[in-house]
Amino acid sequence: MGLMIKKPPHVAGSAAPAIIIGLFVAFGGILFGYDTGTIGGIIAMKYWRNQFSTGYISTTDGQPDVSPSQQSEIVSILSAGTFFGALGASPFGDLLGRRIGMIASTGVFTLGVILQTASTAIPMFVAGRFFAGLGVGLISALVPLYQSETAPKWIRGAIVGCYQLAITIGLFLAAIVNNATQNRNDTGSYRIPIAVQFAWALILVIGMIILPETPRYLIKRGRHDKAAKALSRLRRLDVTHPAIVEELAEVEANHNYELSLGKAGYIDCFKGTVGKRLLTGCLLQGLQQLTGINFIFYYGTQYFKNSGFSNPFIISVITDVVNVSSTFPGLYLVEKWGRRRLLLFGAIGMCVCQYIVAITGTVEEAKWAPKVVGNKSANNALIAFVCIYIFFFACSWGPVAWVVTGELFPLKVRAKCLSMTTASNWLLNWAIAYSTPYLVNTGKGYAGLKSRVFFIWATCCLVCIFFVWGLIYETKGLSLEQVDELYAKVSKAWRSNDFVPTVSFAEVEAIARGADGRKQSLADLEAGAIRKKSVAHVDGEHSPDFAHEKL
């Protein structure tokens, strides 16, 4: 098989433009990752804690701080905004278009950054995080949608996976900037990390002004000529090239077949195989959050500090480096191993690591209670297995969750379904961000779990193993239209590895337009197309020209 992902020899044109465009659009993940990463360091900064404190004194170090309930509100409000933003991505993407929708979303995000930068008290800071979250939620649904609709099928997984890579880079950059400003004794300690986000927003907007709209969206809007030009630009082929004509014909035929079954509203997202796919996508995105990854990136700095580490900011930088570097193997393995196998590999590895962290941390906390963990060997073991856990997440569930949800759905409901799957990710993200202070802190009204919280994440990772086995279909190497055929023909996820596509929507389109086309399944339509080809072949054999050729 080799170590490189190579373009199949029968594929015409160049994949370079589509790959470069897909990688650039992934830059939207930096907004997502950086905004997520900054808050974990900011709430641990001494100046910020003193500036935003309303009189609460920390039980850990006796310094002014925000209360656990205020901390819960400040951290989780971003996820509340992203939840509503993700749900709003469907009208943004369908009415404005994927490209203009991302530009408008970045504008909403920028408003949130302005409010956070200008704030000196909790109310405005919270409002800014909500609007920033609203923009991030819109972008988080539109970026994978744009990538999946423009990328060649043979490398689509790696391109969409780069969105997760950009998220990890954003987290890493946030850790670097936080570490650089943490000791400032002025508003620059938190304003500089927040204001850096203006640069990310500006870069994304300038790029999206230049880039083309997706051909599939243009087909959906009936703009065939513009779709041909956009696809020509992506594949670096003339609009009249047979490969361009054939790909557009297949996309348009698939869309026409979907429309022949009737228009699609939100209720149609819950019917038939689309409903099964939506359930799969929502569970996949929700379980991605329940693996516990954002506990580390939201509250990791404070967790390590409370566990006795002398420089928790440096530990956060280390975990972010592991997160970024470990994503690269995932971009390779998603096309070599496939989606299903890689997700299983990651779930098993994460489960083992989380149980080890939970057991080690719980034993040491019991030994040193009521003090913080003081055993250096135990601390090192905690860090080691947290980093190994991050490796398993970053090379599997991090990128592949976005890859799978980006390619699951039919064109007519793709934006709606993708917005709901992304919203489920943010809903669980909010739940974890909001509940964690109540779960891990000690005192009246708090669960006081400390390291025992890792038992929750470990058990969720165990659930992930059975979920992948039972519901994740293998979609490696299939076009978005062939994924529809896969779900129409294969009823069990564990049988999807053996699937070979045979339907050409261009061939069945004429049958679907027939008098009873609306009443026929995809299998019936395919059988009709095969019979039609067989009749044409037999007629050809009996034609005078064919007989003359044989003689």
Side-chain angles (χ1 to χ4, degrees):
M1 291 178 66
L3 292 176
M4 297 298 293
I5 300 174
K6 296 181 180 179
K7 186 181 79 169
H10 64 278
V11 176
S14 172
I19 293 172
I20 292 170
I21 288 171
L23 293 178
F24 177 81
V25 173
F27 192 86
I30 289 184
L31 276 69
F32 177 169
Y34 188 92
D35 202 38
T36 300
T38 51
I39 194 63
I42 286 173
I43 61 176
M45 292 178 181
K46 185 176 180 179
Y47 183 88
W48 185 91
R49 292 167 61 195
N50 184 67
Q51 174 68 39
F52 286 81
S53 176
T54 56
Y56 177 82
I57 302 298
S58 172
T59 57
T60 303
D61 59 10
Q63 297 295 316
D65 202 351
V66 294
S67 69
S69 60
Q70 290 171 328
Q71 184 183 103
S72 174
E73 177 191 14
I74 290 167
V75 174
S76 66
I77 194 67
L78 177 91
S79 301
T82 54
F83 172 76
F84 292 107
L87 289 178
S90 175
F92 258 63
D94 281 341
L95 298 177
L96 299 178
R98 290 27 169 168
R99 186 177 68 91
I100 300 299
M102 275 192 279
I103 294 173
S105 303
T106 308
V108 176
F109 170 79
T110 303
L111 172 62
V113 174
I114 292 171
L115 292 174
Q116 288 179 82
T117 305
S119 66
T120 55
I122 289 176
M124 183 180 287
F125 195 80
V126 167
R129 281 185 59 76
F130 177 80
F131 281 105
L134 197 64
V136 168
L138 289 163
I139 292 168
S140 66
L142 292 173
V143 168
L145 180 62
Y146 185 98
Q147 290 175 310
S148 64
E149 291 189 347
T150 55
K153 64 181 181 181
W154 59 272
I155 200 172
R156 184 179 62 241
I159 290 177
V160 179
C162 283
Y163 178 55
Q164 177 65 23
L165 175 63
I167 293 172
T168 66
I169 292 172
L171 287 164
F172 173 65
L173 292 173
I176 294 293
V177 177
N178 280 343
N179 190 54
T181 66
Q182 61 166 310
N183 294 320
R184 289 178 64 111
N185 195 31
D186 57 26
T187 58
S189 59
Y190 68 90
R191 281 177 170 166
I192 291 173
I194 294 171
V196 166
Q197 295 174 101
F198 287 120
W200 314 143
L202 183 63
I203 292 170
L204 185 61
V205 168
I206 291 173
M208 293 312 302
I209 291 172
I210 300 170
L211 298 185
E213 183 56 86
T214 75
R216 284 177 171 84
Y217 171 76
L218 293 169
I219 287 289
K220 182 176 181 176
R221 305 300 292 181
R223 303 169 188 168
H224 186 89
D225 291 343
K226 289 186 176 181
K229 290 179 181 177
L231 188 60
S232 169
R233 185 176 171 186
L234 290 168
R235 303 292 184 261
R236 201 176 286 175
L237 291 170
D238 189 83
V239 291
T240 60
H241 192 282
I244 297 293
V245 174
E246 182 181 349
E247 185 172 351
L248 277 179
E250 184 70 1
V251 173
E252 189 162 15
N254 173 258
H255 182 55
N256 290 338
Y257 167 70
E258 292 172 4
L259 291 179
S260 73
L261 304 178
K263 292 185 178 180
Y266 273 97
I267 193 66
D268 296 291
C269 298
F270 299 90
K271 295 179 179 178
T273 65
V274 177
K276 180 180 180 180
R277 290 185 250 183
L278 180 61
L279 175 65
T280 300
C282 289
L283 288 174
L284 178 62
Q285 291 282 16
L287 285 170
Q288 186 206 49
Q289 291 299 307
L290 289 173
T291 61
I293 189 67
N294 277 327
F295 168 78
I296 294 169
F297 292 119
Y298 279 148
Y299 297 104
T301 303
Q302 284 197 326
Y303 171 76
F304 294 132
K305 181 180 179 180
N306 295 340
S307 296
F309 291 91
S310 59
N311 196 335
F313 279 90
I314 294 298
I315 301 298
S316 294
V317 172
I318 292 172
T319 57
D320 283 315
V321 169
V322 173
N323 194 24
V324 173
S325 59
S326 300
T327 305
F328 287 98
L331 302 182
Y332 171 78
L333 293 173
V334 72
E335 297 297 351
K336 287 296 181 180
W337 284 8
R339 287 62 162 148
R340 182 177 165 84
R341 185 178 172 188
L342 186 54
L343 285 172
L344 275 173
F345 166 78
I348 294 169
M350 289 190 298
C351 183
V352 172
C353 291
Q354 292 277 34
Y355 274 121
I356 291 174
V357 171
I359 293 168
T360 304
T362 301
V363 169
E364 288 303 309
E365 284 171 354
K367 185 185 298 184
W368 289 87
K371 298 179 181 179
V372 297
V373 178
N375 187 313
K376 187 175 181 181
S377 297
N379 282 348
N380 291 339
L382 283 173
I383 288 298
F385 279 99
V386 164
C387 289
I388 296 171
Y389 155 76
I390 291 172
F391 163 78
F392 280 110
F393 175 86
C395 74
S396 60
W397 280 73
V400 179
W402 299 105
V403 172
V404 172
T405 53
E407 58 194 16
L408 271 180
F409 306 109
L411 179 58
K412 69 176 181 178
V413 294
R414 187 170 295 145
K416 293 182 177 67
C417 289
L418 196 55
S419 73
M420 285 187 277
T421 60
T422 307
S424 68
N425 179 294
W426 287 114
L427 181 63
L428 268 298
N429 189 303
W430 169 82
I432 291 167
Y434 184 82
S435 63
T436 293
Y438 296 99
L439 290 173
V440 300
N441 282 303
T442 56
K444 187 177 179 180
Y446 302 105
L449 293 180
K450 297 184 178 179
S451 290
R452 285 173 292 174
V453 75
F454 283 94
F455 281 112
I456 298 175
W457 315 138
T459 304
C460 289
C461 290
L462 184 63
V463 172
C464 289
I465 298 172
F466 295 99
F467 164 74
V468 173
W469 178 259
L471 281 175
I472 295 297
Y473 281 65
E474 184 52 69
T475 52
K476 182 187 76 169
L478 300 180
S479 70
L480 297 182
E481 290 67 43
Q482 289 167 342
V483 173
D484 291 340
E485 182 188 351
L486 167 66
Y487 274 89
K489 290 183 174 181
V490 181
S491 60
K492 307 294 184 184
W494 53 88
R495 296 176 182 168
S496 59
N497 285 325
D498 300 324
F499 170 75
V500 177
T502 57
V503 169
S504 168
F505 282 96
E507 291 177 356
V508 304
E509 183 181 14
I511 307 268
R513 286 177 176 173
D516 60 347
R518 290 175 178 268
K519 303 174 184 178
Q520 297 187 49
S521 68
L522 184 59
D524 295 332
L525 292 168
E526 182 190 10
I530 292 172
R531 286 195 300 272
K532 187 175 179 180
K533 288 172 70 176
S534 299
V535 170
H537 177 68
V538 171
D539 290 344
E541 285 186 342
H542 290 89
S543 69
D545 290 339
F546 184 86
H548 180 71
E549 283 181 19
K550 291 188 73 174
L551 291 174

